[in-house]
């Protein structure tokens, strides 16, 4: 091979190598070591309990070593639009799934919502299988035995205030129950068929030592065994519903009969 051809081939290989290094450093390596993630646009801010809208979001490529835990990737952006934020998220920040209220357990202050306590002395009966994130209905039991139960609605109540319920917290068999077990006055039960409060979100289920009651059985039915006995609940209620509930409890001596869906 002629020396001129060898020199030309050597220069060509050198130039190709230099070009590859340049392309790798400035294009390929960035794509290998980075990912497209969802961030809050610079100059924007998402406040706690604010609904996330597309106009405040952007997709940017960030180094993988800098990604936050449970970061929202570009192809997951539709999963968070319309959800509420659990915390304030500043501009130019990556968004984590931990910052998003997927379970709707963050009170909406604009609706007067807050986390309200339901203490054990307010409760007449509740399902022992109740857990955090459940949606409950609340019925009332008064001192004179009257209720707002459906006639065939409530479960029998044991001496410890736990219900003998099916999967929805209501018994399917009340045979042999007394009028008191069924909620008292049957005429009153026929006329008042709706819960006092419906679709109440449970934020926490606590025992008497203020520890969260959780399921300990990881098999098919995770509600069979609990870490402890339920004492108090923390739920999301707006000001109007909470005031109505307290008026019945404190003013009229009602206790709460709780079922879950």
């Amino acid at each position: 091979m002629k020396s001129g051809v060898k020199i030309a081939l050597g220069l060509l290989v050198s130039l190709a190598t230099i070009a590859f290094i340049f392309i790798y450093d400035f294009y390929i390596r960035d794509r290998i070591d980075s990912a497209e993630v969802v961030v809050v646009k610079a100059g924007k801010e998402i406040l706690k309990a604010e609904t996330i809208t597309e106009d405040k979001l952007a997709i940017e490529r960030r180094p993988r070593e800098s990604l936050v835990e449970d970061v929202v990737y570009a192809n997951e952006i539709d999963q968070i639009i319309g959800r509420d934020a659990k915390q304030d998220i500043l501009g130019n920040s990556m968004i984590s799934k931990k910052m998003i209220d997927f379970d709707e357990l963050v009170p909406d202050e604009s609706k007067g919502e807050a986390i309200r306590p339901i203490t054990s002395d307010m409760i007449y009966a509740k399902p022992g299988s109740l857990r955090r994130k459940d949606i409950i209905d609340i019925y009332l039991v008064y001192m004179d035995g009257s209720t707002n139960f459906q006639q065939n609605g409530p479960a029998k109540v044991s001496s410890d205030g736990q219900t003998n319920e099916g999967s929805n917290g209501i018994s399917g068999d009340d045979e042999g129950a007394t009028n008191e077990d069924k909620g008292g006055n049957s005429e009153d039960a026929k006329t008042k068929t709706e819960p006092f409060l419906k679709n109440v979100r449970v934020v926490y289920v606590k025992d008497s030592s203020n520890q969260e009651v959780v399921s300990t059985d990881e098999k098919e039915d995770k509600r069979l065994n609990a870490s402890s006995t339920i004492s108090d609940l923390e739920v999301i209620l707006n000001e109007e519903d909470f005031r109505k509930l307290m008026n019945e409890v404190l003013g009229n001596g009602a206790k709460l009969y709780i079922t879950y869906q």
Side-chain angles (χ1 to χ4, degrees):
M1 185 179 291
K2 295 181 179 180
S3 59
V5 174
K6 291 181 178 179
I7 293 172
L9 286 174
L11 289 174
L12 183 62
V13 170
S14 297
L15 289 173
T17 302
I18 293 171
F20 176 78
I21 293 172
F22 179 83
I23 293 172
Y24 178 82
D25 282 344
F26 290 93
Y27 185 77
I28 297 177
R29 186 171 66 179
D30 284 347
R31 290 189 171 271
I32 292 176
D33 296 335
S34 64
E36 289 188 330
V37 298
V38 181
V39 302
V40 180
K41 287 181 179 179
K44 300 285 188 179
E45 183 180 14
I46 298 175
L47 302 178
K48 180 179 178 181
E50 179 182 348
T51 300
I52 297 173
T53 55
E54 190 173 4
D55 63 296
K56 290 192 174 182
L57 304 178
I59 294 174
E60 294 184 1
R61 186 168 289 278
R62 297 287 179 93
R64 290 190 181 275
E65 61 185 17
S66 69
L67 299 185
V68 299
E69 186 177 359
D70 288 333
V71 69
V72 178
Y73 291 99
N75 62 352
E76 299 173 322
I77 188 170
D78 290 339
Q79 297 179 17
I80 67 171
I81 293 175
R83 300 281 185 178
D84 292 344
K86 284 185 178 179
Q87 63 185 65
D88 294 344
I89 311 176
L90 302 178
N92 210 37
S93 297
M94 285 181 280
I95 298 180
S96 167
K97 293 183 179 71
K98 293 183 177 180
M99 301 174 182
I100 311 301
D101 178 26
F102 288 103
D103 300 307
E104 298 183 348
L105 296 183
V106 176
D108 187 342
E109 293 181 6
S110 67
K111 298 179 181 178
E113 292 181 345
I115 297 176
R116 320 276 186 177
I118 294 180
T119 58
S120 59
D121 58 343
M122 297 164 57
I123 299 173
Y124 177 77
K126 76 278 184 184
S129 55
L130 188 66
R131 299 290 182 267
R132 182 174 184 261
K133 300 181 183 180
D134 283 339
I135 305 297
I136 64 173
D137 291 341
I138 298 176
Y139 297 82
L140 301 179
V141 179
Y142 294 94
M143 296 178 65
D144 63 359
S146 62
T147 73
N148 68 337
F149 293 152
Q150 297 184 42
Q151 187 174 8
N152 61 350
K156 294 175 67 175
V157 183
S158 64
S159 58
D160 61 359
Q162 303 294 320
T163 62
N164 300 321
E165 79 279 11
S167 62
N168 67 348
I170 299 180
S171 170
D173 181 10
D174 278 328
E175 184 177 356
T178 64
N179 285 339
E180 184 177 358
D181 289 330
K182 291 189 176 183
N185 190 303
S186 60
E187 181 179 353
D188 187 70
K190 290 179 181 178
T191 59
K192 299 180 179 179
T193 60
E194 290 295 317
F196 185 75
L197 293 177
K198 297 181 65 174
N199 300 326
V200 178
R201 291 167 285 164
V202 178
V203 181
Y204 292 108
V205 178
K206 299 293 187 70
D207 62 18
S208 57
S209 60
N210 202 37
Q211 298 296 311
E212 179 73 11
V213 177
V214 297
S215 299
T216 58
D217 193 341
E218 295 299 326
K219 298 178 181 179
E220 291 184 6
D221 191 344
K222 296 182 179 180
R223 294 182 184 266
L224 286 177
N225 298 307
S227 57
S228 53
T229 301
I230 298 171
S231 176
D232 302 340
L233 306 179
E234 294 180 11
V235 302
I236 294 178
L237 287 175
N238 60 39
E239 185 67 33
E240 179 183 358
D241 286 343
F242 184 65
R243 188 183 300 113
K244 289 193 304 183
L245 187 65
M246 287 301 98
N247 181 64
E248 297 300 318
V249 171
L250 300 178
N252 297 322
K255 286 187 176 291
L256 314 183
Y257 190 107
I258 295 169
T259 66
Y260 69 84
Q261 301 175 12

